[in-house]
Amino acid sequence: MSELISLAGELDAGDALARVRDRFVLDDVVYLDGNSLGALPAGVPARVADVVARQWGELRIRSWEESGWWTAPERIGDRIAPLVGAAAGQVVVGDSTSVNVFKALVAAVRMARGDAEGDSRGAARDEILVDATTFPTDGYLAESAARLTGCTLRPLAPADVPGALGPRTAAVLLNHVDYRTGRLHDLPGLTAAVHAAGGYAVWDLCHSAGALPVGLDEHGVDLAVGCTYKYLNGGPGSPAYLYVRRGLQDRFDSPLPGWNSHAEPFGMRPEYAPAPGAVRGRVGTPDILSMLALEAALEVWDGVGIEAVRAKSLALTDFFLRCVEEYVPEGRVESLTPAAHAERGSQVALRCDDAGDVMKRLVARGVVGDFRAPDVLRFGFTPLYTGFAEVERAARVLGETLG
């Protein structure tokens, strides 16, 4: 035990991101649930107070122009863009992840069908492939999108996707990181395979953005969505985002056209004409209070590179697994998270027979992770504020709880 405690101290002393911890509101609880809800950035309360008291309370409707409310979805999108490997002008913030998944998936099918119409071979694009292990909502939305577009839906394990692709493939919806196990899927390889088959790749980045490099532009991803309340620390229910690759923006045909995505939003014309660029991913009036809270939260990323975050994430999860092996009685837990760095996100999932009760006991002792039915303990590691001494303590308390 003393060896691991000493090692944790050495690792914390050499942590280049330790300085960022002060940008958050934290206490003596070991918080390992940032993969569900990130901690509160210290600058957010004052910013929200200003938005409510001055921008809304005093300026009122003038704030749409004078406080920049109207352009917030694109402005904050450009702030997120570097964190997912995208150039400016391709990310727009707004709506929920679910709504953006629906927009992206239906638009992908429509683009694939547009390609097919110009194909002299008459290729039919009438099939959607979806990650069978996905977060349930993505599956529900994929099923609804398939019914709406007349497509067949094929749920598959991500590893089986390449072998299932073909001339009927319109779109493929995949998770970058599995929410249960923390497995990191091969975004570059799977995207290339989808493109080789003539389909469009839609990626859900909820469990990767802000924890590791994504490389949307580099790997030619077509469409991507993600939430902002996990590793991006935007707050409960903070708005999601939609990425539309620049080369596809003039063809992006959203199934949810709204006045905010109209080329002339205040023209009040009965005919819909989409705005140019990623702005056509907007729908209705932006949720300003939560959106501007998110903008303030993203300031914690000033001077922080995503590569440094990834390096610390891997070091944290490696150290946690080492401590678990040392402290937890043999046979009591089983790691579901891949050992290989290339296949690991920023969480560790442990299978445990009485996981729900165990997590309650951990929380009571000041170690907060979460439980996923039926038997998974999840621990999310947010490199911006998680330290190695906390990791050692969490594993030690887990071992004592299970022992």
Side-chain angles (χ1 to χ4, degrees):
M1 179 186 301
S2 60
E3 178 188 350
L4 290 174
I5 293 175
S6 176
L7 178 56
E10 293 174 11
L11 292 169
D12 279 331
D15 177 15
L17 293 178
R19 59 185 172 80
V20 184
R21 181 180 172 88
D22 291 340
R23 301 179 186 180
F24 293 87
V25 177
L26 297 164
D27 49 27
D28 61 355
V29 169
V30 179
Y31 188 66
L32 300 180
D33 207 7
N35 54 327
S36 284
L37 177 65
L40 171 65
V44 169
R47 184 70 58 81
V48 171
D50 177 72
V51 172
V52 172
R54 184 182 64 84
Q55 297 182 29
W56 180 14
E58 297 176 15
L59 295 178
R60 293 179 285 272
I61 201 164
R62 290 161 53 196
S63 277
W64 284 106
E65 291 188 5
E66 294 181 26
S67 300
W69 286 3
W70 183 258
T71 57
E74 306 96 86
R75 182 178 71 246
I76 303 171
D78 284 347
R79 190 68 185 261
I80 291 173
L83 302 177
V84 293
Q90 299 176 101
V91 178
V92 65
V93 172
D95 305 311
S96 66
T97 306
S98 301
V99 172
N100 285 323
V101 166
F102 184 74
K103 293 181 206 170
L105 199 52
V106 173
V109 173
R110 289 176 173 177
M111 289 189 290
R113 292 217 167 127
D115 295 343
E117 289 174 2
D119 189 339
S120 60
R121 297 168 297 177
R125 297 287 175 178
D126 60 358
E127 195 168 77
I128 297 174
L129 307 186
V130 63
D131 181 350
T133 62
T134 188
F135 189 76
T137 295
D138 283 16
Y140 307 154
L141 290 162
E143 194 276 333
S144 180
R147 282 190 288 115
L148 179 69
T149 59
C151 285
T152 299
L153 184 66
R154 294 184 63 189
L156 296 161
D160 296 331
V161 165
L165 296 166
R168 294 182 57 189
T169 304
V172 182
L173 174 61
L174 295 162
N175 286 269
H176 197 192
V177 172
D178 186 289
Y179 81 100
R180 282 193 183 91
T181 67
R183 176 179 291 276
L184 174 64
H185 296 305
D186 180 11
L187 181 146
L190 289 169
T191 299
V194 173
H195 288 168
Y200 288 81
V202 181
W203 284 91
D204 183 330
L205 309 178
C206 285
H207 288 270
S208 60
L212 53 90
V214 178
L216 294 180
D217 285 354
E218 177 185 359
H219 302 303
V221 169
D222 301 307
L223 302 160
V225 303
C227 65
T228 60
Y229 48 80
K230 300 183 191 295
Y231 297 113
L232 296 180
N233 312 293
S238 56
Y241 57 90
L242 169 67
Y243 164 88
V244 183
R245 178 158 55 87
R246 194 178 310 280
L248 298 178
Q249 289 176 359
D250 62 347
R251 299 175 53 215
F252 181 80
D253 184 5
S254 174
L256 298 174
W259 78 285
N260 259 240
S261 64
H262 198 285
E264 193 180 350
F266 293 98
M268 303 303 168
R269 302 185 183 282
E271 304 84 10
Y272 179 71
V279 174
R280 65 176 59 193
R282 294 173 60 158
V283 183
T285 304
D287 40 350
I288 291 298
L289 297 182
S290 58
M291 190 168 291
L292 296 189
L294 167 63
E295 185 172 34
L298 290 170
E299 291 176 3
V300 300
W301 289 91
D302 289 349
V304 176
I306 196 66
E307 292 79 11
V309 169
R310 176 58 168 167
K312 184 178 176 183
S313 166
L314 292 172
L316 287 167
T317 50
D318 278 343
F319 186 58
F320 181 70
L321 289 168
R322 176 177 174 181
C323 292
V324 166
E325 185 177 3
E326 177 72 21
Y327 293 149
V328 175
E330 186 175 355
R332 197 64 176 84
V333 298
E334 173 194 359
S335 177
L336 303 178
T337 302
H341 286 181
E343 298 176 357
R344 186 193 307 167
S346 197
Q347 75 178 54
V348 171
L350 302 176
R351 178 173 284 143
C352 179
D353 289 341
D354 47 353
D357 179 62
V358 169
M359 185 52 69
K360 289 179 182 177
R361 292 157 64 192
L362 289 176
V363 171
R365 294 191 59 184
V367 175
V368 178
D370 68 14
F371 159 68
R372 286 291 178 267
D375 57 1
V376 177
L377 299 170
R378 290 197 321 169
F379 300 95
F381 298 83
T382 305
L384 297 185
Y385 55 74
T386 303
F388 291 90
E390 293 178 296
V391 168
E392 185 278 333
R393 176 183 160 195
R396 178 159 35 90
V397 171
L398 175 62
E400 292 167 359
T401 301
L402 294 176

